[in-house]
Amino acid sequence: MTAIELVFYLFSTVLTLSALAVITVRNAVYAALFLVLAFFSSAAIWMLLEVEFLAITLVLVYVGAVMVLFLFVVMMLDMNSERVREGFARYLPVGILVALIMAGELMFVIWTKGAEKLPLPPGQSDAGANTALLGERLYTAYLYPFEIAAVILLVGIVAAIALTHTGRNPNTRYQDPSRQVSTRREDRVRIVSMPGAGSKSAEERS
Amino acid sequence: MDMQTLQTLLWTLAKIFIIIIPITLTVAYYTYAERKVIGYMQSRIGPNRVGPWGLLQPFADVFKLLFKEIILPANANKFLFYLAPVLTLGPALAAWAVVPFSDWLILADINASLLYVLALTSMGVYGIIVAGWASNSKYAFLGALRSAAQIISYEIAMGFALVCVLIAAGDISLKGIVEAQQGGVFDWFWLPLLPMFMVYFISGVAETNRAPFDVAEGESEIVAGFHVEYAGAAFAVFFLAEYANMILISALTALLFAGGWLSPFENVPVLGGTLLATHGIGWFLAKTVFFMFFFLWFRATFPRYRYDQIMRLGWKVLIPITIVWVVVAAVLVLTGAIVRGS
């Protein structure tokens, strides 16, 4: 067994086990953390395929941003593990169906293309100038699908904000920082000269 | 596994130690420098008891922390509680694998090294969140939430600032970015990308939870934030990670905006051929120390930001500036104002 195979089997074992753990552990925070581990191991496997840009982007986007927000929400929820259990049995048939379709697709690819390593896409050298190649493909051959996907994402963002944003509550008090920083002493403090007990005035004393 | 692979593994391991041990020592003396510099800025003298001029103070601190008991809070999640410091330190050290100290001193010269650094630094937040949750303490949890929200917000501004650097350099590897800045101090990217340089450094200070953005620790409100329940060696690991991250941000600023190992006097006629005009690791270290000093200076100078203002600065000021400058940087490259590796 070569070192690369060893690394592959190590990460694929971790990936499979952690993916299983995501749906079996009781604690929701543990489940989210196992999902992070699953993303990370699959990124490592992609790295073995020399698709460094996709591998690093998987870590950057899913591990570094999406799952952090996920974890954020999960931690603040008061999760009832019993109710989560109920859902498990209800969604099991759908889950098995999806799993079967996925397994069938994988099997189809292996049967038709052969189990050997598939050739590298045209233009990619073994040195792995993967990032430049990917960029070139996306912005030339696949420009329209790429731009359309971007627009759909933008619509998604706008829709999410439009659905949740209820407008400013008139009772909310808020501060205007630009007004705050431009205040001067004269706006807030009035120095009054008080003739009285002491012989000195307030200004002389300070 | 054959002999060749084993040899490569051992050699890589040795190189990792050659990088990590100086970083750890730098962290130790960075804490000393912090106390001395802030001391003098506030008309005090700082630590001066252990060793000459207090030079052995960092070691005294380390031994004190190592011999202290690690206290596990009641009802804390034991496994995650002990895992959290490791999750923070791991990415902070792993990012150094791709930092080019000079044109040949790199542990792993990979193509997408800038992305790699960005991905790893974005993982450091897990240690903080997990620490806050596992501690089973309200202060720690609030600190973790504050810290995580802040890190996510400033990562966007940081990412866009890096996009500008990528556009200017036309390369995604740190080595290529430095090589694109050749030609002397005015060819470095700090000048054409001046707003990005400032945005990047401000985001860097915010990402490392340092003053004036250190609400995650906010002594007066939440005691010490996410690591309030940690003591002894576990606390020391958090501390090490925080300072290693500060040094990393300084080193990255030096690489991305200040020419890395390039000499500032490259094309000055009189100095040509002398020691001052040669490139080397010395310039990189000097620039890194220069930026490290700013972290201390900020802490001594600025009062802490209010939390809503941190969010306002990140989302409403820094991110719009960076998005505008992505376009400006592209125009600068097209018009030839930025010349790659002249």
Side-chain angles (χ1 to χ4, degrees), chain A residues 3 27 29-30 33 36 40 52-53 56 59-60 63-64 67-69 71-72 75-76 127-128 131 175 177 180, chain B residues 1 5 77 80 111-112 115-116 118-119 122-123 125-126 129-130 133 141 145 148-149 152 155 172 306 309 312:
Chain A
N27 192 328
V29 172
Y30 270 129
L33 287 175
V36 171
F40 194 78
E52 49 178 22
F53 180 78
I56 296 175
V59 173
L60 183 63
V63 177
M67 284 314 292
V68 174
L69 296 176
L71 206 58
F72 229 87
M75 277 178 179
M76 287 195 282
T131 316
Q175 286 150 328
Q180 280 184 308
Chain B
M1 211 189 292
T5 320
N77 188 315
L80 289 182
N111 275 316
L115 268 181
Y116 169 86
L118 201 61
S122 71
M123 278 173 57
V125 66
Y126 279 101
I129 299 185
V130 169
W133 186 76
F141 191 55
L145 288 183
I152 296 172
E155 218 165 63
I172 201 167
R306 214 173 58 202
Q309 296 200 348
R312 181 178 165 272

Side-chain angles (χ1 to χ4, degrees), chain B residues 1-40:
Chain B
M1 211 189 292
D2 54 308
M3 226 24 230
Q4 189 74 42
T5 320
L6 196 70
Q7 207 177 357
T8 321
L9 273 182
L10 285 178
W11 184 225
T12 312
L13 199 67
K15 284 192 210 160
I16 291 173
F17 272 103
I18 293 173
I19 294 179
I20 285 187
I21 290 171
I23 289 173
T24 319
L25 281 176
T26 314
V27 168
Y29 276 95
Y30 198 16
T31 61
Y32 171 78
E34 173 166 36
R35 295 166 73 178
K36 274 287 186 192
V37 166
I38 295 181
Y40 280 113

Side-chain angles (χ1 to χ4, degrees), chain B residues 168-193:
Chain B
D171 199 332
I172 201 167
S173 79
L174 288 170
K175 196 178 162 189
I177 290 171
V178 173
E179 275 160 3
Q181 303 180 49
Q182 244 154 24
V185 69
F186 295 112
D187 287 295
W188 298 347
F189 287 154
W190 67 269
L191 191 60
L193 303 177

Side-chain angles (χ1 to χ4, degrees), chain A residues 49 104 114:
Chain A
L49 291 172

Side-chain angles (χ1 to χ4, degrees), chain B:
Chain B
M1 211 189 292
D2 54 308
M3 226 24 230
Q4 189 74 42
T5 320
L6 196 70
Q7 207 177 357
T8 321
L9 273 182
L10 285 178
W11 184 225
T12 312
L13 199 67
K15 284 192 210 160
I16 291 173
F17 272 103
I18 293 173
I19 294 179
I20 285 187
I21 290 171
I23 289 173
T24 319
L25 281 176
T26 314
V27 168
Y29 276 95
Y30 198 16
T31 61
Y32 171 78
E34 173 166 36
R35 295 166 73 178
K36 274 287 186 192
V37 166
I38 295 181
Y40 280 113
M41 283 179 179
Q42 297 171 343
S43 303
R44 299 180 281 113
I45 47 174
N48 67 340
R49 288 282 170 246
V50 193
W53 307 291
L55 273 172
L56 295 177
Q57 183 69 41
F59 293 99
D61 290 339
V62 167
F63 286 124
K64 186 197 81 174
L65 283 173
L66 288 184
F67 286 119
K68 274 173 92 171
E69 185 191 354
I70 300 178
I71 302 162
L72 186 72
N75 292 329
N77 188 315
K78 195 173 175 186
F79 176 69
L80 289 182
F81 187 78
Y82 290 133
L83 184 72
V86 184
L87 280 182
T88 322
L89 184 62
L93 291 181
W96 285 93
V98 295
V99 171
F101 293 93
S102 77
D103 50 354
W104 57 276
L105 268 174
I106 319 173
L107 176 61
D109 187 10
I110 60 172
N111 275 316
S113 52
L114 186 63
L115 268 181
Y116 169 86
V117 170
L118 201 61
L120 273 182
T121 46
S122 71
M123 278 173 57
V125 66
Y126 279 101
I128 293 172
I129 299 185
V130 169
W133 186 76
S135 296
N136 189 32
S137 153
K138 289 188 177 65
Y139 291 126
F141 191 55
L142 278 176
L145 288 183
R146 280 185 179 192
S147 174
Q150 182 178 329
I151 289 178
I152 296 172
S153 312
Y154 278 85
E155 218 165 63
I156 302 170
M158 199 175 213
F160 271 115
L162 293 183
V163 168
C164 292
V165 174
L166 294 186
I167 291 173
D171 199 332
I172 201 167
S173 79
L174 288 170
K175 196 178 162 189
I177 290 171
V178 173
E179 275 160 3
Q181 303 180 49
Q182 244 154 24
V185 69
F186 295 112
D187 287 295
W188 298 347
F189 287 154
W190 67 269
L191 191 60
L193 303 177
L194 189 63
M196 291 307 98
F197 170 55
M198 288 183 326
V199 165
Y200 182 81
F201 201 67
I202 293 171
S203 315
V205 176
E207 288 262 298
T208 45
N209 285 326
R210 291 290 299 181
F213 302 109
D214 57 344
V215 283
E217 293 182 22
E219 297 91 343
S220 50
E221 310 129 43
I222 50 172
V223 198
F226 64 93
H227 56 49
V228 67
E229 302 289 347
Y230 284 84
F235 172 75
V237 170
F238 273 124
F239 210 72
L240 182 63
E242 184 184 328
Y243 280 75
N245 271 328
M246 285 157 65
I247 302 173
L248 183 70
I249 294 288
S250 310
L252 285 175
T253 314
L255 285 170
L256 299 171
F257 295 99
W261 63 82
L262 300 175
S263 159
F265 309 111
E266 201 172 349
N267 286 340
V268 180
V270 192
L271 296 162
T274 59
L275 194 66
L276 275 176
T278 41
H279 307 315
I281 184 173
W283 289 114
F284 172 63
L285 296 181
K287 289 166 189 169
T288 307
V289 169
F290 176 73
F291 288 119
M292 278 159 69
F293 179 74
F294 275 86
F295 277 90
L296 311 183
W297 195 3
F298 288 162
R299 187 173 164 192
T301 309
F302 296 124
R304 184 177 294 141
Y305 258 80
R306 214 173 58 202
Y307 192 72
D308 61 318
Q309 296 200 348
I310 291 185
M311 286 298 149
R312 181 178 165 272
L313 180 71
W315 288 97
K316 293 189 178 171
V317 180
L318 296 188
I319 293 178
I321 293 178
T322 53
I323 292 176
V324 168
W325 214 261
V326 167
V327 182
V328 174
V331 171
L332 285 180
V333 170
L334 275 181
T335 54
I338 299 177
V339 188
R340 291 167 186 163
S342 51

Side-chain angles (χ1 to χ4, degrees), chain A residues 4 25 37 39 44 54 58 64 77 81 92 100 104 172 183:
Chain A
I4 290 197
V25 290
L37 186 61
F39 280 133
L54 289 179
L58 180 71
L77 291 179
S81 64
L92 194 62
L100 280 179
T172 311
T183 45

